[in-house]
Amino acid sequence: MVLLASPILAGCSGVQSALAPAGHEAEEVARLFLVMAVGAGVIWTLVMAAAIYATRIRPEPHEEHIGRKLILWGGVAFPVVVLAGLLIYGLGMMSELRRPGEGLRIDVSGEQFWWRVTYRPKDGAEARSANEVRIPVGERVEFALTSPDVIHSFWIPALGGKVDMIPGRENRLVLQAERPGTYRGVCAEFCGASHALMAFPVVAMAKPDFEAWLAAQARPAAQAVETARGGELFRLNGCGACHAVAGTDAKGEVGPDLTRFGERATVGAGLLPNTAENVIRFIMETDTLKPRAKMPAYPNLPHADLAAIAAYLGSLK
Ligand code: CUA
């Protein structure tokens, strides 16, 4: 049994598992799951034992008052006590899970099909990003979650429960990572053709590292001479109509902010590793890599131009 279960359970570890909690909230949720799973196992065993007893061991008719007692205790009293106990246990966790954050707020908007991220530190400049979330370890970070059009659901299984992103509403979620690492967040509500293709890395950093990183976000990304040609092509092809790169005249709001694209781990919202080849591929085949995304594909751009644009984007750090 253990041998049979081990390969299955091995699939529960890793960067995107609610059963491998790396944060306080996720631990609470995992504990609730464990309590319910063990409880359900015990009850299932009791019910099976009763069924075997009644059909195999003593199949003959029983006295009526015994049957009535069984229904009263086993069918009414027992479920009422167990379900009330579970409800009280679950409600007791809620106050803990709803404690407010400690200063850093991160606004995340679910888009079709990517994530708009704005860091709002208590003191210090706000910073824009996309498709990646960075948080300091050991701090309760408050997420303000919304969406402009359809419902998405923001879920970082290793750090906590999922919360819907609903147009016209702002939902709050507080998460705290207990140890540094990279986790994976996903969209957990069907939001359109590329619902399964919007994910994001979550990087939990030691607090001093995070603060240095966030402070650096306030200045515009470096513009290197070697990638100036790519920057020019980015401008000439109109990329800036949808994408913003702080410090340049690219100020588009429709698509992901690319100011520090070069330091992100993925391209296309968790879709592919962030390499120059994948950036080129994403620009050429947007429609097949991410069906129904608002960005058109550019299959006819000369390869040299695509390579220059990819080099430019990769240099934005
Ligand atoms: Cu966004 Cu599913």
Side-chain angles (χ1 to χ4, degrees), residues 90-160:
L91 288 178
M93 280 172 49
M94 278 178 81
S95 63
E96 179 63 20
L97 293 178
R98 294 192 147 269
R99 277 195 302 160
E102 287 176 314
L104 173 64
R105 193 180 110 189
I106 304 178
D107 294 355
V108 185
S109 174
E111 311 279 331
Q112 279 177 318
F113 300 91
W114 58 281
W115 310 86
R116 187 188 299 275
V117 181
T118 310
Y119 296 85
R120 296 188 198 281
K122 198 161 50 183
D123 26 54
E126 84 175 44
R128 288 164 172 236
S129 182
N131 299 333
E132 189 161 297
V133 168
R134 295 193 180 218
I135 52 173
V137 168
E139 184 180 317
R140 289 199 307 280
V141 177
E142 188 160 319
F143 288 91
L145 307 170
T146 190
S147 162
D149 38 34
V150 301
I151 298 176
H152 306 262
S153 184
F154 182 85
W155 193 25
I156 309 168
L159 296 184

Side-chain angles (χ1 to χ4, degrees), residues 133-194:
V133 168
R134 295 193 180 218
I135 52 173
V137 168
E139 184 180 317
R140 289 199 307 280
V141 177
E142 188 160 319
F143 288 91
L145 307 170
T146 190
S147 162
D149 38 34
V150 301
I151 298 176
H152 306 262
S153 184
F154 182 85
W155 193 25
I156 309 168
L159 296 184
K162 63 183 87 138
V163 168
D164 277 1
M165 309 171 105
I166 300 167
R169 235 189 102 90
E170 191 178 82
N171 282 338
R172 296 292 171 126
L173 173 69
V174 176
L175 296 176
Q176 176 174 346
E178 303 291 356
R179 51 176 194 267
T182 300
Y183 310 104
R184 190 169 189 266
V186 287
C187 180
E189 177 82 39
F190 182 75
C191 52
S194 285

Side-chain angles (χ1 to χ4, degrees), residues 257-297:
D257 185 295
L258 299 176
T259 303
R260 266 161 227 285
F261 178 77
E263 65 178 29
R264 290 179 203 153
T266 66
V267 51
L271 196 58
L272 301 166
N274 189 358
T275 63
E277 300 87 85
N278 284 336
V279 172
I280 294 171
R281 221 183 122 199
F282 191 82
I283 298 171
M284 289 177 72
E285 307 169 24
T286 323
D287 48 349
T288 47
L289 285 174
K290 191 163 275 210
R292 299 295 174 99
K294 289 183 181 133
M295 176 168 157

